Amino acid sequence: VTETGEVFAYNELQQFKAASTIKTPLLALLLHDGETGRLDLNAKRRVAEENFATGSGILRSLSHDIDLSGFSGKNVSGLINEFLHSFCTAAACDNTATNEIIDAVGMDRFNEMMQKLGFTSTSIGRKLCYKGGKPGENLINAIDLGRMTDMAAREELLSPYVSRTLLQIMAGQNLQKLTAPLHAVEHKNPHEPLPTPPEGKVVAATKSGTLEAPGISHDSGAFFLPDGSSYTLTVLTKTGDLVAVKEVFSAISRTMYEAMK
């Protein structure tokens, strides 16, 4: 619970393959680098040949020289004027964009930053859906991912700007698992602040991840209620039945919402 600091955890130290949940701290670090001037988020970049990836996303199907300024599509909310901001918004669902972000922030530097911030079970060992390069795994556990999400809700993840912008981007994603049983308010423009939901509804900012072969299914998010209170919820699973596990996510989310509303 964001306001009181109450925490319920079960197997929170168990480490999992991160799947797309690794994109949450990656986006946070990218935003931080833009805010502090390490990266120019107005600069345009050509998508590196080796970064075009299979899996989720739209960038893999576009020309390698595509100019994303002014592009609007399935995984990009609104007109994004800066190329890396386009990656930032698309990366929540785009593996090619994520690989570009890994190059932009630096893989080793990302891992060093996670250690510095106390997210000691979070690391990147390879790019997404990427052939070649150094082998490894992208790893995370529930305590790290949950604390990242909670810090963002408190506006304490790297900076208030990073926290707010990250949640605004996450609120526009369409692949949420924890929001399925809830009456969530749509929020499609990552440049706009999260609204206060009307009675009976919730604003949800989540990021999920799935790896079909090993049966990985994750989701983590911050949930904002009409009375101004909020809570965060993180569920990491490994199961052979990705269809059945959706009911687990729904049941957990519904129970938490009913307890908090």
Side-chain angles (χ1 to χ4, degrees):
V1 181
T2 305
E3 288 73 27
T4 65
E6 294 175 88
V7 177
F8 172 80
Y10 177 75
N11 284 345
E12 70 278 15
L13 300 180
Q14 182 178 345
Q15 202 169 39
F16 290 83
K17 291 182 180 180
S20 286
T21 62
I22 201 66
K23 298 172 185 178
T24 297
L26 268 172
L27 286 171
L29 184 54
L30 179 73
L31 291 167
H32 171 72
D33 285 352
E35 182 184 29
T36 58
R38 181 181 180 273
L39 289 174
D40 179 5
L41 299 190
N42 293 308
K44 295 181 180 179
R45 293 168 61 99
R46 182 178 186 274
V47 181
E49 178 73 28
E50 63 272 17
N51 283 340
F52 276 81
T54 59
S56 63
I58 56 174
L59 299 189
R60 61 190 171 90
S61 64
L62 303 178
S63 164
H64 293 204
D65 290 313
I66 192 72
D67 178 1
L68 291 186
S69 59
F71 179 79
S72 178
K74 179 179 179 183
N75 293 322
V76 181
S77 301
L79 298 178
I80 311 301
N81 295 320
E82 298 84 18
F83 193 61
L84 275 180
H85 274 312
S86 295
F87 278 159
C88 190
T89 304
C93 284
D94 198 293
N95 292 335
T96 297
T98 302
N99 290 343
E100 282 289 319
I101 291 176
I102 291 172
D103 282 348
V105 303
M107 187 180 296
D108 291 339
R109 179 171 166 271
F110 172 88
N111 291 333
E112 291 170 2
M113 182 65 76
M114 292 301 101
Q115 292 293 315
K116 181 179 179 181
L117 293 174
F119 305 130
T120 56
S121 291
T122 301
S123 63
I124 290 179
R126 60 172 179 81
K127 292 183 178 179
L128 277 66
C129 302
Y130 182 76
K131 296 180 180 179
K134 65 179 184 179
E137 287 295 343
N138 303 330
L139 301 172
I140 206 161
N141 66 9
I143 197 69
D144 278 7
L145 186 56
R147 194 160 68 86
M148 291 174 200
T149 309
D150 184 67
M151 289 175 69
R154 295 173 183 269
E155 299 192 354
E156 296 174 355
L157 184 60
L158 292 169
S159 77
Y161 162 78
V162 169
S163 299
R164 288 192 300 267
T165 306
L166 179 66
L167 292 178
Q168 287 165 201
I169 292 169
M170 290 168 65
Q173 298 313 298
N174 298 317
L175 301 176
Q176 302 103 323
K177 302 167 185 177
L178 292 172
T179 57
L182 308 180
H183 298 291
V185 176
E186 286 193 359
H187 183 79
K188 296 299 183 182
N189 191 337
H191 297 298
E192 293 183 353
L194 296 180
T196 299
E199 194 63 35
K201 293 202 171 187
V202 62
V203 170
T206 72
K207 180 69 200 86
S208 64
T210 303
L211 291 173
E212 292 187 3
I216 292 292
S217 187
H218 306 325
D219 204 2
S220 181
F223 300 82
F224 301 89
L225 300 171
D227 64 359
S229 64
S230 63
Y231 64 92
T232 60
L233 182 58
T234 298
V235 181
L236 307 184
T237 69
K238 182 177 181 181
T239 174
D241 192 340
L242 293 179
V243 175
V245 81
K246 291 180 181 179
E247 290 300 317
V248 175
F249 280 96
S250 291
I252 293 173
S253 184
R254 190 182 305 110
T255 299
M256 186 69 173
Y257 172 73
E258 291 294 335
M260 291 298 301
K261 71 177 183 178

